[in-house]
């Protein structure tokens, strides 16, 4: 199959490289000429484990190309994926579909033979109909189909997720397009990944329902963590105790500082808006959104409490800036709410992150970026773990203690054990677990 991937971001680049690895011929297109130029030189525009090797190998073997010329790529392809961004629209929170519509217009102008146009971007129900209308209006005689194929990969584990998905959802209205999509995903289907064919609108809804459900699960355990702090109990044991129940499942039950990232925040809000407009409000999702927003802000109060209630003139070391480990993605990261609140309360912040500091420096002016966790800890009155990078799981605690002004640790990811930390002389606070001692 010849595939064009429009949008070479986290989703487009990973999907394009994986499709090439299956043996398809893929052209990844982006209108960001800098991104394409660096890919042509073998440099990755994003950090994703394993991606550089996958891209290099498939480019070398001639199955993966990069270009800014959308029309040329579309003309040479049987299947054109739209993987452009769908951020929150300023002002009202609806998904901003301007990039999707723009791509649809450009694709329409270039189609020369039967082409399956596939929306991989996360888009509200009915967007496939709009894309079809745009293409039809531009090119009344064009031979094409529009399909929805939402993506479920997780940043940080994106290649594994793409190659071994729990399911592949394909929303298509006609048989010919379904056959083409079966061919695209044949290698995975042979590998026993289930292909779920649905109507196009259903596929669009599945993506939002999945993200809203996962965001709800995280928010639920976060509220249980707060309750454990008030009435006693250990949220990690509670999560294990409920997660071993197959009806509940153990994933997404880690209490923390609130979800962030490029998907859950914008997708929950977009679903909420769609539901309100349709007269069927999703009240659970609305509660999740407001509880999660409040939680991110409340984390600064938790840090303040660990510092005795006053942050004025105190130095706080923050470990972890990205919204989760193994990515450089800073979109909606909890650190972006927590750090400004610490600064507003009068604290000086030193930070460290294995991959996110370049991006974070632009978003967090006045924060000192440190070369190592120990550098960040120098002279600190408290150290806060915001993102659970592996590099923070086995810190040299004696060295850390020596560097710090006072041994106060606030672990927002529960990666250390309260008893051990107390035994080592730290004043240690975590999420939803009793402090030792
Ligand atoms: N990031 C994730 O983990 C993830 C997971 C599942 C689904 N999604 C969804 O996938 C979509 C893409 O997300 P992302 O994180 O990859 O976004 P991104 O911002 O990393 O990448 C989007 C790319 O599209 C390019 N682009 C925009 N308009 C274009 C056009 N007309 N022609 C060519 N290129 C164009 C941009 O320059 C950018 O490089 C979103 O709808 C998102 O919700 C993301």
């Amino acid at each position: 199959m010849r595939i064009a991937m429009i949008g070479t971001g986290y989703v487009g680049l990973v999907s394009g490289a994986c499709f090439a690895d299956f043996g398809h011929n893929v052209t990844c297109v982006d209108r960001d000429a800098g991104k394409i130029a660096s890919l042509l030189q073998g440099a990755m525009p994003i950090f994703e484990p394993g991606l550089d090797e996958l891209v290099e190998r498939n480019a070398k073997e001639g199955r993966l190309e990069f270009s800014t010329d959308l029309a040329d790529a579309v003309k040479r392809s049987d299947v054109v994926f739209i993987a452009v961004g769908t951020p929150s629209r300023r002002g009202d929170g609806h998904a901003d579909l301007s990039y999707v519509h723009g791509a649809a217009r450009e694709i329409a102008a270039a189609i020369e033979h039967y082409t399956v146009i596939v929306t991989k971007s996360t888009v509200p129900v009915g967007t496939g109909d709009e894309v079809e209308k745009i293409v039809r209006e531009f090119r009344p005689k064009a031979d094409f189909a529009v399909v929805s194929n939402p993506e479920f990969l997780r940043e940080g584990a994106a290649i594994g997720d793409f190659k071994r998905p729990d399911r592949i959802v394909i929303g298509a209205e006609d048989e010919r397009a379904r056959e083409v999509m079966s061919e695209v995903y044949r290698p995975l289907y042979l590998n026993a990944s289930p292909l779920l064919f649905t109507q196009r609108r259903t596929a669009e809804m599945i993506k939002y329902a999945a993200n809203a459900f996962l965001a709800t699960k995280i928010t639920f355990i976060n509220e249980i963590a707060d309750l454990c702090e008030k009435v006693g109990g250990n949220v990690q044991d509670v999560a294990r105790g409920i997660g071993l129940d197959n009806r509940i499942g153990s994933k997404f039950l880690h209490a923390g500082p609130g979800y962030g990232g490029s998907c859950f925040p914008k997708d929950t809000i977009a679903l909420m808006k769609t539901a309100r407009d349709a007269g069927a409000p999703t009240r659970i999702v609305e509660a999740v959104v407001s509880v999660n927003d409040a939680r991110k802000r409340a984390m600064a109060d938790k840090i303040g409490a660990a510092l005795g209630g006053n942050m004025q003139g105190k130095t706080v070391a923050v470990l972890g800036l990205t919204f989760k480990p193994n990515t450089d993605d800073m979109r909606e990261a909890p650190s972006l709410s927590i750090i400004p609140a610490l600064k507003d309360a009068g604290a000086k912040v030193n930070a460290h992150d294995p991959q996110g500091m370049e991006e974070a420096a632009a978003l967090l002016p006045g924060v000192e970026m440190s070369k190592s966790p120990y550098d960040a800890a120098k002279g600190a009155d408290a150290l806060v773990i915001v993102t659970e990078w592996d590099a923070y799981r086995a810190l040299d605690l004696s060295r850390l203690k020596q560097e710090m002004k006072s041994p106060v640790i606030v672990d927002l990811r529960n990666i250390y054990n309260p008893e051990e930390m107390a035994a080592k002389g730290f004043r240690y606070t975590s999420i939803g677990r009793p402090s030792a001692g």
Side-chain angles (χ1 to χ4, degrees), residues 12-62:
L13 183 54
V14 171
S15 310
C18 289
F19 280 138
D21 214 38
F22 297 161
H24 298 310
N25 288 306
V26 180
T27 306
C28 283
V29 177
D30 207 287
R31 62 177 185 188
D32 179 340
K35 208 174 244 191
I36 295 300
S38 64
L39 280 161
L40 287 170
Q41 284 165 10
M44 291 304 107
I46 55 167
F47 172 75
E48 179 62 41
L51 188 60
D52 43 2
E53 188 273 329
L54 189 74
V55 167
E56 190 191 329
R57 180 157 46 79
N58 284 282
K60 201 180 272 170
E61 289 169 11

Side-chain angles (χ1 to χ4, degrees), residues 104-319:
R105 281 190 286 272
E106 288 183 70
I107 294 165
I111 288 177
E112 282 187 348
H113 51 84
Y114 178 66
T115 306
V116 178
I117 302 168
V118 187
T119 316
K120 198 166 242 331
S121 301
T122 302
V123 293
V125 174
T127 304
D129 301 359
E130 288 170 22
V131 169
E132 187 170 327
K133 196 161 154 248
I134 289 170
V135 179
R136 184 63 65 215
E137 272 172 14
F138 257 79
R139 297 284 302 281
K141 297 212 170 96
D143 192 10
F144 71 99
V146 176
V147 167
S148 165
N149 170 220
E151 183 48 57
F152 300 96
L153 62 78
R154 294 162 302 166
E155 288 176 21
I159 294 170
D161 284 353
F162 195 89
K163 290 190 163 183
R164 288 176 294 283
D166 291 339
R167 77 309 202 184
I168 298 147
V169 173
I170 295 169
E173 302 297 323
D174 71 89
E175 192 47 40
R176 193 174 170 196
R178 272 193 284 270
E179 278 169 20
V180 170
M181 293 306 287
S182 301
E183 200 53 36
V184 168
Y185 280 107
R186 226 165 92 86
L188 288 182
Y189 182 63
L190 293 176
N191 228 358
S193 296
L195 276 188
L196 178 65
F197 286 102
T198 68
Q199 289 178 321
R200 195 163 62 200
R201 283 179 170 248
T202 306
E204 291 166 340
M205 181 63 89
I206 287 171
K207 175 64 190 175
Y208 280 99
N211 274 0
F213 189 85
L214 294 171
T216 303
K217 213 172 166 192
I218 294 174
T219 307
F220 176 82
I221 201 68
N222 283 340
E223 286 203 316
I224 295 294
D226 286 350
L227 189 55
C228 283
E229 285 177 17
K230 296 280 184 215
V231 300
N234 179 327
V235 75
Q236 272 181 322
D237 293 341
V238 174
R240 196 167 146 72
I242 62 173
L244 284 170
D245 184 330
N246 284 332
R247 293 170 301 178
I248 296 174
S250 58
K251 304 244 174 87
F252 284 76
L253 282 182
H254 300 286
Y259 63 75
S262 62
C263 292
F264 288 178
K266 75 173 176 66
D267 293 347
T268 44
I269 293 172
L271 178 62
M272 196 174 104
K273 298 286 180 193
T274 304
R276 274 199 197 166
D277 288 355
T282 46
R283 288 194 306 247
I284 293 173
V285 180
E286 294 194 10
V288 164
V289 169
S290 73
V291 168
N292 192 66
D293 282 350
R295 181 169 191 81
K296 288 196 209 171
R297 289 192 300 272
M299 290 300 113
D301 298 337
K302 193 176 177 77
I303 298 161
L307 277 165
N310 181 10
M311 287 195 266
Q312 196 62 49
K314 300 274 170 68
T315 299
V316 180
V318 170
L319 301 191

Side-chain angles (χ1 to χ4, degrees), residues 341-356:
L342 297 178
K343 291 182 68 212
D344 288 348
K348 173 181 182 299
V349 177
N350 300 336
H352 176 264
D353 188 280
Q355 292 291 340

